[in-house]
PDB file of all heavy atoms in Angstrom:
ATOM      1  N   CYS T  63       4.273   8.210 -12.336  1.00 92.00           N
ATOM      2  CA  CYS T  63       4.268   9.096 -13.514  1.00 92.00           C
ATOM      3  C   CYS T  63       4.681  10.517 -13.141  1.00 92.00           C
ATOM      4  O   CYS T  63       5.414  11.177 -13.877  1.00 92.00           O
ATOM      5  CB  CYS T  63       2.889   9.097 -14.149  1.00 92.00           C
ATOM      6  SG  CYS T  63       2.445   7.554 -14.962  1.00 92.00           S
ATOM      7  N   CYS T  64       4.207  10.988 -11.979  1.00 92.00           N
ATOM      8  CA  CYS T  64       4.522  12.360 -11.554  1.00 92.00           C
ATOM      9  C   CYS T  64       6.020  12.545 -11.295  1.00 92.00           C
ATOM     10  O   CYS T  64       6.555  13.650 -11.451  1.00 92.00           O
ATOM     11  CB  CYS T  64       3.736  12.716 -10.292  1.00 92.00           C
ATOM     12  SG  CYS T  64       1.959  12.924 -10.559  1.00 92.00           S
ATOM     13  N   LEU T  65       6.696  11.476 -10.886  1.00 93.00           N
ATOM     14  CA  LEU T  65       8.109  11.577 -10.543  1.00 93.00           C
ATOM     15  C   LEU T  65       9.036  11.328 -11.735  1.00 93.00           C
ATOM     16  O   LEU T  65      10.253  11.389 -11.589  1.00 93.00           O
ATOM     17  CB  LEU T  65       8.456  10.592  -9.421  1.00 93.00           C
ATOM     18  CG  LEU T  65       7.864  10.926  -8.049  1.00 93.00           C
ATOM     19  CD1 LEU T  65       8.195   9.825  -7.046  1.00 93.00           C
ATOM     20  CD2 LEU T  65       8.391  12.271  -7.544  1.00 93.00           C
ATOM     21  N   ALA T  66       8.446  11.041 -12.882  1.00 91.00           N
ATOM     22  CA  ALA T  66       9.275  10.792 -14.072  1.00 91.00           C
ATOM     23  C   ALA T  66      10.135  12.017 -14.377  1.00 91.00           C
ATOM     24  O   ALA T  66       9.631  13.129 -14.539  1.00 91.00           O
ATOM     25  CB  ALA T  66       8.387  10.462 -15.266  1.00 91.00           C
ATOM     26  N   GLY T  67      11.445  11.824 -14.417  1.00 92.00           N
ATOM     27  CA  GLY T  67      12.360  12.910 -14.715  1.00 92.00           C
ATOM     28  C   GLY T  67      12.733  13.800 -13.548  1.00 92.00           C
ATOM     29  O   GLY T  67      13.529  14.725 -13.700  1.00 92.00           O
ATOM     30  N   VAL T  68      12.181  13.520 -12.364  1.00 94.00           N
ATOM     31  CA  VAL T  68      12.481  14.333 -11.183  1.00 94.00           C
ATOM     32  C   VAL T  68      13.793  13.860 -10.560  1.00 94.00           C
ATOM     33  O   VAL T  68      14.020  12.661 -10.392  1.00 94.00           O
ATOM     34  CB  VAL T  68      11.346  14.236 -10.139  1.00 94.00           C
ATOM     35  CG1 VAL T  68      11.712  14.997  -8.862  1.00 94.00           C
ATOM     36  CG2 VAL T  68      10.055  14.777 -10.728  1.00 94.00           C
ATOM     37  N   THR T  69      14.656  14.794 -10.209  1.00 95.00           N
ATOM     38  CA  THR T  69      15.931  14.472  -9.560  1.00 95.00           C
ATOM     39  C   THR T  69      16.162  15.393  -8.375  1.00 95.00           C
ATOM     40  O   THR T  69      15.532  16.446  -8.243  1.00 95.00           O
ATOM     41  CB  THR T  69      17.117  14.626 -10.535  1.00 95.00           C
ATOM     42  OG1 THR T  69      17.209  16.004 -10.943  1.00 95.00           O
ATOM     43  CG2 THR T  69      16.938  13.740 -11.767  1.00 95.00           C
ATOM     44  N   THR T  70      17.074  14.993  -7.504  1.00 93.00           N
ATOM     45  CA  THR T  70      17.492  15.857  -6.411  1.00 93.00           C
ATOM     46  C   THR T  70      18.435  16.931  -6.956  1.00 93.00           C
ATOM     47  O   THR T  70      18.815  16.903  -8.130  1.00 93.00           O
ATOM     48  CB  THR T  70      18.223  15.049  -5.324  1.00 93.00           C
ATOM     49  OG1 THR T  70      19.454  14.550  -5.879  1.00 93.00           O
ATOM     50  CG2 THR T  70      17.379  13.883  -4.844  1.00 93.00           C
ATOM     51  N   LYS T  71      18.825  17.874  -6.092  1.00 93.00           N
ATOM     52  CA  LYS T  71      19.765  18.910  -6.528  1.00 93.00           C
ATOM     53  C   LYS T  71      21.096  18.313  -6.974  1.00 93.00           C
ATOM     54  O   LYS T  71      21.807  18.891  -7.788  1.00 93.00           O
ATOM     55  CB  LYS T  71      19.989  19.900  -5.395  1.00 93.00           C
ATOM     56  CG  LYS T  71      18.782  20.776  -5.091  1.00 93.00           C
ATOM     57  CD  LYS T  71      19.091  21.777  -3.995  1.00 93.00           C
ATOM     58  CE  LYS T  71      17.881  22.669  -3.714  1.00 93.00           C
ATOM     59  NZ  LYS T  71      18.165  23.662  -2.635  1.00 93.00           N
ATOM     60  N   ALA T  72      21.413  17.130  -6.421  1.00 94.00           N
ATOM     61  CA  ALA T  72      22.659  16.460  -6.794  1.00 94.00           C
ATOM     62  C   ALA T  72      22.507  15.614  -8.055  1.00 94.00           C
ATOM     63  O   ALA T  72      23.453  14.958  -8.493  1.00 94.00           O
ATOM     64  CB  ALA T  72      23.150  15.591  -5.641  1.00 94.00           C
ATOM     65  N   GLY T  73      21.303  15.606  -8.633  1.00 94.00           N
ATOM     66  CA  GLY T  73      21.086  14.854  -9.860  1.00 94.00           C
ATOM     67  C   GLY T  73      20.676  13.413  -9.660  1.00 94.00           C
ATOM     68  O   GLY T  73      20.625  12.637 -10.618  1.00 94.00           O
ATOM     69  N   ILE T  74      20.362  13.026  -8.420  1.00 93.00           N
ATOM     70  CA  ILE T  74      19.937  11.649  -8.143  1.00 93.00           C
ATOM     71  C   ILE T  74      18.460  11.495  -8.492  1.00 93.00           C
ATOM     72  O   ILE T  74      17.629  12.284  -8.022  1.00 93.00           O
ATOM     73  CB  ILE T  74      20.167  11.304  -6.664  1.00 93.00           C
ATOM     74  CG1 ILE T  74      21.649  11.449  -6.311  1.00 93.00           C
ATOM     75  CG2 ILE T  74      19.669   9.891  -6.361  1.00 93.00           C
ATOM     76  CD1 ILE T  74      21.935  11.286  -4.840  1.00 93.00           C
TER      77      ILE T  74
END
Side-chain angles (χ1 to χ4, degrees):
C63 290
C64 290
L65 291 176
V68 176
T69 63
T70 66
K71 290 182 179 180
I74 301 173

